[in-house]
Amino acid sequence: MTQFRRALLIACLACGTSAWAPQVRAEDALDCHLSFNLEGWSVFYKTASGTGMVSCNNGDRLPVTIVSRGGGLTFGKSRITDGVGEFTGIANIHDVLGSYAAAEAHIGAVRSRQVQVVTKGNVSLALKGKGDGWDIGVSLASFTLKAR
């Protein structure tokens, strides 16, 4: 099985597990967003770290540290500034903390854009950002948010 197919399979399985997790009722759900900066490198092993702020529509705010680690067939160095993310399935701001499953195929040079969805049970986080650097590859990773 190729690395890309393996990454795609894991991403589908990670997304599929949310079907069995308890769901947050629409009237209980918070509208939460993440603003972040992230910098990293990869040579087979992929690592990135950064900081961010989670803000919810009820006024709650939570500063976070971001760590992403993984591996695959990947090479590069990149930096994302002014990235944004949107959470779904949040009942409490602390639901955003923890490790999310991430699978990606990526390619970028100089000024690139990244879009990715990561999942943790019934919580999903859609990320997008623009940055600089270069990267190419396929990787499986964990994307972890910790309270600062």
Side-chain angles (χ1 to χ4, degrees):
M1 181 180 287
T2 67
Q3 289 284 34
F4 179 76
R5 286 184 181 162
R6 187 174 293 138
L8 188 57
L9 175 63
I10 289 174
C12 290
L13 289 173
C15 292
T17 59
S18 64
W20 295 295
Q23 300 296 310
V24 175
R25 294 183 317 183
E27 62 271 12
D28 296 334
L30 284 177
D31 184 17
C32 297
H33 300 274
L34 171 67
S35 57
F36 68 95
N37 294 314
L38 193 64
E39 191 168 345
W41 57 267
S42 64
V43 177
F44 295 108
Y45 181 76
K46 182 176 183 179
T47 181
S49 59
T51 59
M53 178 66 71
V54 177
S55 304
C56 298
N57 62 340
N58 66 353
D60 288 349
R61 293 173 54 87
L62 180 65
V64 294
T65 299
I66 303 166
V67 177
S68 181
R69 303 278 189 266
L73 184 57
T74 179
F75 302 94
K77 182 176 181 180
S78 62
R79 176 179 52 219
I80 297 173
T81 54
D82 299 324
V84 294
E86 185 173 334
F87 292 95
T88 58
I90 301 297
N92 178 306
I93 194 167
H94 295 286
D95 292 346
V96 304
L97 301 177
S99 292
Y100 295 76
E104 64 179 324
H106 51 91
I107 185 168
V110 187
R111 301 215 187 285
S112 61
R113 297 184 183 273
Q114 179 179 359
V115 177
Q116 183 177 18
V117 175
V118 294
T119 61
K120 174 186 74 139
N122 67 320
V123 176
S124 293
L125 172 57
L127 300 164
K128 64 181 175 179
K130 47 188 171 173
D132 55 47
W134 62 274
D135 61 340
I136 186 169
V138 176
S139 65
L140 304 174
S142 69
F143 185 90
T144 304
L145 294 178
K146 297 178 184 176
R148 272 194 279 153

